[in-house]
């Protein structure tokens, strides 16, 4: 191994083919953030990079820094989420989450947190036991919270009321209004009790417990709409994977 190479784990967020058997990968790493790296000849079946450079592979990479991007010298698989590609809904959700992570391009400590969150969500998709709407809402809310857009969730911004049958989360400002204050402000409540409980849980609980909550079908519908709106409001541009995802997972 050369002295100037870097060894890092990383999750492949995107792969782009070029020439006949090369790929350019977008990889989320805990310390370098989101990087581009070329994997030469990695589409040849017998190439040593073949299996570790696929989409959603979590691998250990040996990288050589270059002027525009890294070159992958070696790669070894740590984890493959085989279940993701077994359904079109799971696959399109994974593409959407990966595109959002790449668009946010977290750095420093945020990159390591984002990587853990995304690995956790891909695992849930792959296992196929969790409602995909839950996985989507968890990722959207938690990723925004960790990338500098944590909403103020403790109580109503105006009167400090803590609970009630209906609340409004302002997707732009990230503030809560209780039913009365929302009405005075001309806003329609978008959360019920269950959705607000889940929202607080997802944004504030420790990593390991992030999926440890139950939610009714009705509350999940409200949570899903708010989570998506909140995430997309804070992104600079629309995600390419969004329309297709909505067509298979409305
Ligand atoms: Zn209030």
């Amino acid at each position: 191994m050369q002295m100037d190479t870097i060894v890092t784990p990383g999750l492949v967020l995107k792969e782009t083919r070029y020439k006949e058997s090369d790929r350019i990968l977008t990889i989320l790493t805990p310390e370098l953030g989101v990087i581009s790296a070329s994997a030469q000849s990695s589409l040849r079946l017998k190439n040593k990079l073949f299996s570790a450079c696929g989409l959603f592979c979590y691998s250990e990479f040996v990288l050589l820094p270059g002027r525009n991007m890294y070159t992958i010298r070696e790669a070894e698989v740590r984890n493959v989420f085989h279940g993701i590609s077994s359904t079109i809904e799971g696959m399109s959700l994974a593409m959407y989450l990966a595109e959002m992570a790449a668009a946010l391009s977290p750095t420093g400590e945020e990159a390591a947190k984002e990587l853990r969150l995304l690995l956790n969500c891909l695992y849930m998709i792959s296992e196929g036991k969790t409602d995909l709407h839950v996985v989507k809402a968890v990722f959207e809310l938690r990723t925004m919270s960790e990338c500098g857009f944590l909403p103020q969730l403790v109580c109503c911004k105006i009167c400090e009321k803590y609970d009630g049958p209906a609340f409004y989360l302002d997707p732009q400002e990230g503030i809560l209004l209780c039913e009365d204050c929302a009405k005075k402000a001309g806003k329609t409540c978008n959360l019920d009790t269950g959705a607000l409980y889940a929202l607080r849980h997802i944004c504030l609980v420790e990593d390991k417990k992030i999926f440890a909550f139950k939610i009714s079908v009705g509350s999940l519908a409200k949570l899903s709409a708010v989570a998506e709106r909140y995430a997309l409001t804070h992104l600079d541009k629309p995600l390419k994977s969004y329309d297709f995802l909505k067509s298979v997972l409305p």
Side-chain angles (χ1 to χ4, degrees):
M1 196 186 301
Q2 283 168 259
M3 287 298 285
D4 47 5
T5 54
I6 297 167
V7 181
T8 178
L11 175 71
V12 179
L13 300 180
K14 188 182 168 194
E15 54 175 358
T16 310
R17 282 185 75 148
Y18 75 104
K19 295 186 194 158
E20 70 187 67
S21 58
D22 299 350
R23 281 183 281 198
I24 292 176
L25 307 182
T26 303
I27 305 171
L28 174 60
T29 71
E31 282 170 15
L32 305 169
V34 176
I35 59 164
S36 293
S38 72
Q40 283 151 17
S41 306
S42 67
L43 286 170
R44 292 202 180 104
L45 276 170
K46 285 183 179 166
N47 187 273
K48 61 183 176 154
L49 299 180
F50 180 81
S51 58
C53 290
L55 186 60
F56 306 132
C57 277
Y58 180 51
S59 302
E60 179 100 4
F61 294 98
V62 177
L63 304 169
L64 185 66
R67 212 178 304 164
N68 301 313
M69 65 173 75
Y70 294 88
T71 300
I72 300 171
R73 281 296 167 85
E74 291 169 44
E76 193 176 332
V77 178
R78 278 193 181 186
N79 201 349
V80 182
F81 303 97
H82 291 290
I84 290 177
S85 55
S86 64
T87 68
I88 191 83
E89 294 86 357
M91 188 66 184
S92 36
L93 178 57
M95 311 251 325
Y96 171 81
L97 303 187
E99 191 185 354
M100 192 179 287
L104 285 164
S105 197
T107 53
E109 236 173 79
E110 289 176 1
K113 284 184 186 170
E114 183 73 359
L115 177 60
R116 277 204 300 277
L117 173 65
L118 190 48
L119 288 171
N120 199 350
C121 289
L122 294 182
Y123 173 80
M124 299 309 264
I125 297 172
S126 183
E127 289 293 291
K129 291 173 190 159
T130 308
D131 187 327
L132 292 177
H133 292 97
V134 170
V135 179
K136 177 171 177 281
V138 164
F139 184 84
E140 288 167 334
L141 292 169
R142 186 73 174 204
T143 205
M144 287 301 148
S145 299
E146 285 177 350
C147 290
F149 304 107
L150 178 64
Q152 295 173 33
L153 296 171
V154 178
C155 57
C156 172
K157 174 82 175 168
I158 294 167
C159 73
E160 300 189 348
K161 191 177 171 186
Y162 174 80
D163 55 9
F167 269 82
Y168 173 72
L169 178 75
D170 186 318
Q172 191 71 49
E173 306 297 328
I175 56 164
L176 273 183
L177 295 179
C178 72
E179 197 171 11
D180 293 339
C181 295
K183 205 173 279 175
K184 282 177 204 157
K187 305 291 186 186
T188 307
C189 286
N190 51 14
L191 296 165
D192 61 10
T193 308
L196 178 58
Y197 172 84
L199 180 65
R200 285 182 174 137
H201 176 94
I202 293 164
C203 293
L204 303 173
V205 81
E206 61 183 288
D207 280 0
K208 280 185 208 160
K209 294 181 180 161
I210 197 162
F211 282 101
F213 66 96
K214 289 204 160 69
I215 188 164
S216 69
V217 175
S219 296
L220 178 57
K222 290 191 184 305
L223 180 74
S224 295
V226 167
E228 181 180 297
R229 186 80 199 287
Y230 190 70
L232 299 184
T233 299
H234 289 92
L235 291 175
D236 301 338
K237 53 182 183 186
L239 300 179
K240 286 179 197 153
S241 54
Y242 176 80
D243 289 340
F244 186 71
L245 174 66
K246 295 303 276 189
S247 74
V248 295
L249 193 73

